[in-house]
Each structure stands twice: as C-alpha cells, then as structure tokens.
Amino acid sequence: MRNAVFLDRDGLINRQAAPHHYISTPEDFEILPGVPEAIKRLNDAGFLVIVVTNQRGVARGMLTMEQVETVHQYLQSELAKHGAHIDAIYVCPHADGECTCRKPNIGLFLMAEKEFDIDKSQSWMVGDSDTDVEAGKRYGVLSILTNSLPQAANMILAG
Ligand SMILES: [Mg+2]
Ligand SMILES: [Zn+2]
C-alpha cells in the first residue's frame, strides 16, 4: 500500500486562469513558485502524487482533451527538470451535474484506486477550493485548503 497526496491543479500547481478563461496551451500554464520542489519532497518521502482536476472547459467546447494532455506533458517535463514527477493525472472534462467525477464527487479518486493500492488512512487531498476539501472529505482522506503547495507539503511531511 502507498500513501498518496491528491492535488488540485489550477490555483495550486499553476496560476489560476482569469474568470471565464481556460488554460489551453503551455504558454498559459504558469507553475507557481516552489511547486516543483514541493512535489519532489513528496516524491522523495514515498508519496504517490496524483492530480485530480475539473476541466469543464472541455464540455463547454473551450478546449480539447488533446490540449489538456499537451499542457500536462509540459507540466511533467518542467517537473522533470527538478527531479520531480506526478504519478498520475485524472481529469473530469464534464459540466456540472453531468457525471460522478467532477469534484466534489469522488470519481477521479476511484479511478486512481483502480491503478494504485492506496492507503487512504495515510493520504491527503490538497486544493484551493471548498470543492476540493469536500471531495477529500467524501473520499475519506485528510484535506488541506490552501493555495500554497510548499506549505501543504510542510504540513504533510511533518506528519
Ligand atoms: Mg483550484
Ligand atoms: Zn466528470
């Protein structure tokens, strides 16, 4: 069994897009200060690092899943420069009320469980929205509401 840290994406890993804007290219994707280092610390401590992100711009036709994938490849390549990596990224491309995976639903977490043997009792959810905390609560892991991943990593690694 592995301990996992589930991370929100927008507003935690990268700067939040302006209202009604969607991040569709690597140029729009600005990684926040200290994030690669924080992810590396979680990697080194043996945590699975798993991103769970709502991207309803896909349902709205504002961006494609291919663009989302391209942005995520860019993220992984930037992390690799710091010796860090994300183990898996799960995306909800649906609109509100259309699915069981849009946070605060827990479908993305259940997808992760199919791939990884996760010890929920030692796992965390970190995000900058109430919906992130609610999702973590519903899934049954400890949750941290913050827009600072370095600070959240400090808390998690302090045990
Ligand atoms: Mg967010
Ligand atoms: Zn969904």
Side-chain angles (χ1 to χ4, degrees):
M1 293 243 267
R2 300 274 306 275
N3 303 341
V5 180
F6 293 91
L7 303 178
D8 176 42
R9 197 193 82 177
D10 300 325
L12 182 71
I13 291 176
N14 57 286
R15 197 171 300 285
Q16 187 79 48
H20 310 297
H21 285 71
Y22 295 93
I23 293 164
S24 58
T25 66
E27 289 71 34
D28 296 334
F29 193 85
E30 183 187 349
I31 297 171
L32 291 167
V35 162
E37 295 82 358
I39 291 176
K40 179 167 171 41
R41 286 195 287 142
L42 294 170
N43 293 148
D44 290 349
F47 284 94
L48 287 167
V49 177
I50 298 171
V51 171
V52 285
T53 179
N54 289 347
Q55 296 297 328
R56 72 174 157 194
V58 176
R60 291 178 171 180
M62 307 300 290
L63 74 164
T64 65
M65 273 308 279
E66 198 174 25
Q67 287 174 314
V68 173
E69 300 277 335
T70 300
V71 165
H72 291 167
Q73 282 167 19
Y74 168 75
L75 169 60
Q76 292 281 30
S77 68
E78 289 301 302
L79 293 178
K81 293 178 185 171
H82 297 264
H85 71 275
I86 290 164
D87 292 284
I89 303 178
Y90 298 97
V91 178
C92 168
H94 309 115
D96 230 343
E98 262 187 358
C99 69
T100 57
C101 59
R102 183 173 168 78
K103 295 175 291 181
N105 295 308
I106 64 166
L108 300 178
F109 298 79
L110 299 180
M111 287 179 212
E113 269 193 358
K114 284 188 185 162
E115 257 184 85
F116 302 100
D117 191 18
I118 294 168
D119 182 357
K120 275 164 69 167
S121 72
Q122 303 292 325
S123 294
W124 299 77
M125 170 69 200
V126 184
D128 70 329
S129 299
D130 291 338
T131 49
D132 296 314
V133 171
E134 178 61 23
K137 222 179 262 179
R138 288 188 194 179
Y139 179 58
V141 293
L142 293 166
S143 300
I144 301 173
L145 178 65
T146 183
N147 57 14
S148 170
L149 184 54
Q151 283 184 20
N154 289 345
M155 281 184 63
I156 291 166
L157 295 170

